[in-house]
Structures are given as C-alpha cells and as structure tokens.
Amino acid sequence: MGHARKTLRTTAVSAVSATLIAGTALGLAPTAQAASGGVSFVDIAGDGGTVLKANVVTPAGADGSRTYPLIVLPTSWGLPQAEYLAQAHKLADSGYVVVSYNVRGFWQSGGYIEVAGPPDVADASKVIDWALAHTPADARKVGMAGMSYGAGISLLAASHDKRIKAVAALSGWADLTDSIYSGRTQHVQAAALLDGAGTLTGRPSPELQQVFKDFFASDLSTEPDLIAWGKKRSPETYIDQMNKNGAAVFMANGWGDTIFSPNQLAKYYEELTGPKRLEFRPGDHATAEIAGLFGVPNDVWTDTERWFDHYLKGEENGIDGEQPVQLKPRSTGDYEGYPDWKSVGATTKKIALAGTTTIHTNVDSGANGGIIFLSSILDQLAQLPPMASIPLLPRYWAAVWQSEKYTSAQHVRGTVKLHTTVTGTKESGTLVAYLYDVGPLGVGKLVSNAPYTFHGQTPGQPFGVDLELSSTAYDVPAGHRLALVVDTVDSLYIEHNPSGAQLTFSSPEHDTSYVSVPLREQ
C-alpha cells in the first residue's frame, strides 16, 4: 500500500504542477487585460487575523459615486490567486466588483489547510466585510462562486452568512464523506490526489495530516471520527440553514467526476427550497469549466454569469424560466431539461440477477473504473470510457449478468440501483459493481460503477446489499445489451477483502436480486 500511495502521490503532483503552470499563465493571458477598472492585489485579514492574499477587480470608471454587486471567489484546492483573473475581468466588465482570494493554508496566504472547516467559512465572511468597507460593493447584492474547493466553501458560506444572495458552485461537493468514502470504501486515487496537491502547494494542518493517515490506514476505530470530520465540512449538514437564508443556488458538475460524484449533489439539490439550478455534463472534476479560466467562451461560466445577472442585478434574462435541471448526455451534444431530479428517470427497467454465483477476491478481473481524470476526459472528448471484453472476463473473479438485446435505444438517465444478497466467507469485504453497454462483439463500455464495503458480517450468513451506482446520462444503442459485472478489486478504491475470501451472490425467492435502470421517457 505504501508503494501504491507513493506512486499515486507522484502522479498527483505531476498533474497539479501542470495545472499550476496553466493557472499562473492566467495572470499573463491577454484576456486578463480587459477594459475593466484594473486589478489590485491586497491583503485581507481573515478569521483570527490570518492574512489572505487577494485580488480585486472593479468596473471601469468606478469612482465611488455608485455601488455594484459583489462576487467573492475563493480559489480551488492548490491553485494560486491568479486562478480567476480572466473571469473576474469579464464579470467586472459586466458591472461587478470581484474579489478573489487564496484560501488559507495555500500559497502565500497564512494559516493551515483546514479543508473547508469553520475558519474557512469565517474567512469568507471576513472577505465580504473587507469588500464592503474598501470597494464600491453593494451590501444587498452579494454572491459567491468557485470551482472545486471554492465551490464547497461558497455553499458552506452561504449557509452561514445571510448576506450571500446567490451562489455558483462548480464541481463542488454537498457531502464530503460520501464523495471520498461512498459505500464505506476509500476512494484512494481521489484522496491521494488531494493529499499530494495539498502537500505541494500548501501547509496541511496537523489535523489534516492525521486525517489522511487514518484514511489510508483503514483503521475502523477511527471511522466515526473521520465521518464526523467530513460532516462538519459538508453543506448537506447545514441544508436547513441554507433554506432559511434563501440564497439562489446554481450547481454544475461532470458525470464522471472522480472526486465529487453527481449523486450527492443531486440529493442536496432536491432538498433545496429556494431558487436553484443543477447542470451535469460529460467530463471529470472541473474539466467542463476549466477552459473558462483562460477566458475561452464556456457554457458553465456563461450560465454562472446569467445566474448572477438575474439574482444579483435583477435582469430578466430568462434563466429562472428554464427547466432547472439541465443534463448533457455523454453520447449526444444536446441538453435536456427537466423540472426536477426525480423526473430525470421517468421509468425504470429491471435486469434480473438470477442464480447463484461465487467469485474469489483479491484479483482485478479486468473490469474497472479507469484512472482518475484520464478516463473521464477520454469519455468527454472522444466518447471512450473504460472498456472490457465481457465474454473474456474470468468468472473466477467476476460475476456477470446480461440483459436481453434491446431492439431500440435505451436512454439511461439518473441513478442505477443494485439490490442483491451476498454471503461472504469473512466478516469484511469489498465488491465493486459496474454497468456496461455491451456491443455485438462483446466489448463493454462503462456506463457507471460504485464500490461497497461491509464489516462485521457473520461468515456464511447471507445479507442484503443496496447500492447506488454513480448517476449518469448514457444512450445504449439498439442491438446492444446492458451487463452488470461485480468484482472485488479496482485501483480507484481500497480493497477490504481478506486474503482468500470468497463472495457468493444469490437471488432468494422472497427477495430477488436485480439492477434497476432509470430511463428517460421514450
């Protein structure tokens, strides 16, 4: 495990280094030299006096005679304060005061990395205080936005600060625990990326260092503390406060986000009672909106500005009249609108998981979720998700069930759900479920997947498993089948199968096993 973690961290550092070079270039990009009032670099006293390095962009001609809506942009995990300069200038040209700041613990800002803890939430309010005191910002028209880390902090801040009237959270999270510990399984590649990036670009707090140590160690005695740590940093925990404050919330994420999966955001979206909008597109973490950081036209950032124009400026641009759930399927270029998340999968089709199948653990069968970022980017750009030859998967290590051949296209929309009965030979274990689109030659393209880990089960005693796979929008062509594959090893996750363990899947008469596939209304 130590060697694997070192390799993952090296990969993470390389990826982050490339991103940082790109991010630094933003400060020099021609797009950053827009006709706004210019940029000034300032120090802002955050919570406890911690110095936050920030930049301010004001509208051209701002002379103190009038006020403007304010947008505050906390930086992403590991990126410098130059991250949003191109977008900040575009927003300033549209009549906003924009303050972007490097979150505590990263780059030149003071303090330690708190992972959106209480000091980060307090910092956001301190930045708003400073902006209202030192810029021509309107205290009645305050918005926050950000990518990734900045998105999560923005949602948390809006839950705690009533002054924030609108939020745009791009590639963020609602439930931090569910994001990197879904199904009680550590998402090891995602965690290694965050760990490596934090070490390279910032100063992890002693608490964070211990959290990562416990996370990778798989020590069950620390699980309650890890869950509590994540809950404190999850906007989902403060949903009642968010609804009470009534901020207008816009969220956008990628279907293949390997850090913050779409499931937890969809659940959070359904619980919001104020103005809201949810957008899902092909891609991995932040890949759909990253081009906008260079000033390139980008539909995510375009909708972000439209959101603020309506809810901060009061412009009648029609965004509030559109279907609030907007989905771009992975296999087509057209957006689909829905009145709410529950309407996405209007009907369901079940695939029976008949019979009894036993598999051995500890070996990757060849079915897997791919590599963080790389696999989902290939799917985004070339519609090439991870693939596997379904007929050649070794049944010694993989359980396989297939549907009939479909005579018409199947438009999978929403969250695929697995229900089955499992009997293990050990008290702990891990399984990973994959749904594949299988063509005539038996080659399967990954539609969705999810891990599941159990502890404390009685060996030889059957127990029920209910598992939600990652939400998606995927079109299965006519003449293809769907296949469910279950194995026990995937490099995206930490495995909890003792050596030599076996897992048996059955479908009792009184509780049959199945996969429920949500489909768009035909």
Side-chain angles (χ1 to χ4, degrees):
M1 180 63 207
H3 176 71
R5 183 183 175 190
K6 182 178 180 182
T7 302
L8 285 167
R9 178 177 285 187
T10 301
T11 303
V13 169
S14 300
V16 171
S17 297
T19 306
L20 295 179
I21 292 171
T24 303
L26 289 173
L28 304 176
T31 54
Q33 306 305 315
S36 58
V39 58
S40 56
F41 294 88
V42 300
D43 290 350
I44 298 176
D47 185 51
T50 297
V51 175
L52 305 174
K53 296 293 183 177
N55 58 67
V56 182
V57 186
T58 54
D63 57 7
S65 62
R66 55 162 294 191
T67 58
Y68 303 86
L70 168 68
I71 296 179
V72 175
L73 303 169
T75 52
S76 302
W77 185 273
L79 290 189
Q81 60 169 306
E83 176 185 6
Y84 299 115
L85 274 180
Q87 285 299 326
H89 278 284
K90 291 179 70 173
L91 288 166
D93 287 343
S94 297
Y96 292 94
V97 171
V98 185
V99 179
S100 175
Y101 70 97
N102 234 120
V103 292
R104 64 170 54 222
F106 285 102
W107 294 86
Q108 288 81 26
S109 285
Y112 292 97
I113 301 172
E114 300 286 348
V115 195
D120 289 302
V121 177
D123 283 346
S125 292
K126 291 290 188 181
V127 172
I128 293 172
D129 292 342
W130 183 92
L132 295 178
H134 296 87
T135 74
D138 188 336
R140 302 164 301 169
K141 302 176 181 179
V142 177
M144 282 195 70
M147 287 171 48
S148 185
Y149 194 39
I153 290 175
S154 295
L155 287 174
L156 288 163
S159 300
H160 290 81
D161 193 325
K162 296 179 180 179
R163 295 175 297 179
I164 301 170
K165 304 303 181 184
V167 175
L170 315 181
S171 291
W173 75 90
D175 187 330
L176 187 58
T177 302
D178 188 66
S179 295
I180 60 174
Y181 192 57
S182 68
R184 295 186 77 183
T185 310
Q186 296 98 323
H187 295 209
V188 64
Q189 286 189 22
L193 176 67
L194 295 173
D195 185 15
T199 301
L200 176 67
T201 63
R203 297 170 299 284
S205 67
E207 180 188 33
L208 177 58
Q209 294 178 50
Q210 187 62 47
V211 164
F212 275 123
K213 182 179 178 181
D214 293 341
F215 183 87
F216 289 115
S218 302
D219 182 354
L220 279 179
S221 68
T222 65
E223 184 183 49
D225 292 336
L226 289 173
I227 291 174
W229 179 87
K231 185 176 182 180
K232 183 185 295 184
R233 292 158 171 80
S234 297
E236 168 72 30
T237 302
Y238 312 101
I239 184 67
D240 290 341
Q241 291 174 230
M242 176 68 90
N243 288 334
K244 183 178 179 181
N245 290 348
V249 178
F250 167 58
M251 298 183 292
N253 269 59
W255 289 119
D257 196 319
T258 42
I259 298 180
F260 304 131
S261 76
N263 297 44
Q264 41 95 33
L265 279 177
K267 178 178 181 292
Y268 180 73
Y269 172 84
E270 284 292 274
E271 295 173 344
L272 289 169
T273 58
K276 58 185 178 179
R277 183 180 176 95
L278 179 66
E279 298 182 356
F280 285 134
R281 298 171 176 81
D284 206 310
H285 185 65
T287 61
E289 61 265 25
I290 196 167
L293 295 184
F294 296 90
V296 176
N298 179 276
D299 53 358
V300 186
W301 283 102
T302 295
D303 285 349
T304 294
E305 186 169 348
R306 291 175 65 219
W307 191 254
F308 286 134
D309 284 348
H310 180 74
Y311 287 102
L312 294 185
K313 288 184 179 179
E315 291 185 5
E316 295 299 329
N317 55 17
I319 195 167
D320 59 321
E322 298 170 359
Q323 296 276 38
V325 175
Q326 294 287 323
L327 310 181
K328 188 174 185 179
R330 291 161 51 192
S331 43
T332 70
D334 300 324
Y335 283 92
E336 300 171 357
Y338 299 87
D340 50 44
W341 178 252
K342 290 179 290 187
S343 301
V344 171
T347 61
T348 58
K349 184 174 290 187
K350 288 185 177 181
I351 302 172
L353 309 181
T356 299
T357 303
T358 298
I359 61 174
H360 294 70
T361 65
N362 312 123
V363 174
D364 189 340
S365 70
N368 63 74
I371 301 172
I372 188 172
F373 285 129
L374 177 61
S375 297
S376 291
I377 291 175
L378 284 173
D379 185 36
Q380 176 185 357
L381 299 179
Q383 295 182 18
L384 289 175
M387 293 184 283
S389 175
I390 304 304
L392 297 182
L393 290 175
R395 270 43 175 187
Y396 190 79
W397 292 301
V400 180
W401 298 267
Q402 295 194 70
S403 72
E404 75 280 4
K405 187 182 294 185
Y406 297 116
T407 57
S408 61
Q410 304 294 297
H411 305 288
V412 180
R413 299 289 186 273
T415 308
V416 175
K417 298 179 181 180
L418 165 66
H419 174 75
T420 190
T421 296
V422 177
T423 305
T425 57
K426 306 291 184 180
E427 66 173 15
S428 294
T430 296
L431 61 92
V432 186
Y434 311 88
L435 188 70
Y436 282 100
D437 159 25
V438 185
L441 298 179
V443 176
K445 292 184 176 181
L446 187 65
V447 177
S448 184
N449 77 298
Y452 180 91
T453 293
F454 60 88
H455 297 290
Q457 295 292 338
T458 302
Q461 181 69 39
F463 60 94
V465 169
D466 288 288
L467 177 63
E468 291 189 349
L469 278 62
S470 183
S471 300
T472 193
Y474 183 97
D475 295 331
V476 180
H480 286 213
R481 306 173 187 268
L482 283 172
L484 180 80
V485 177
V486 180
D487 71 1
T488 63
V489 176
D490 191 312
S491 63
L492 288 172
Y493 315 111
I494 289 181
E495 177 195 8
H496 294 267
N497 293 295
S499 180
Q502 299 176 29
L503 299 178
T504 297
F505 301 90
S506 58
S507 184
E509 226 176 272
H510 64 280
D511 186 21
T512 57
S513 297
Y514 59 86
V515 172
S516 178
V517 181
L519 300 174
R520 188 189 74 192
E521 189 171 0
Q522 301 298 310

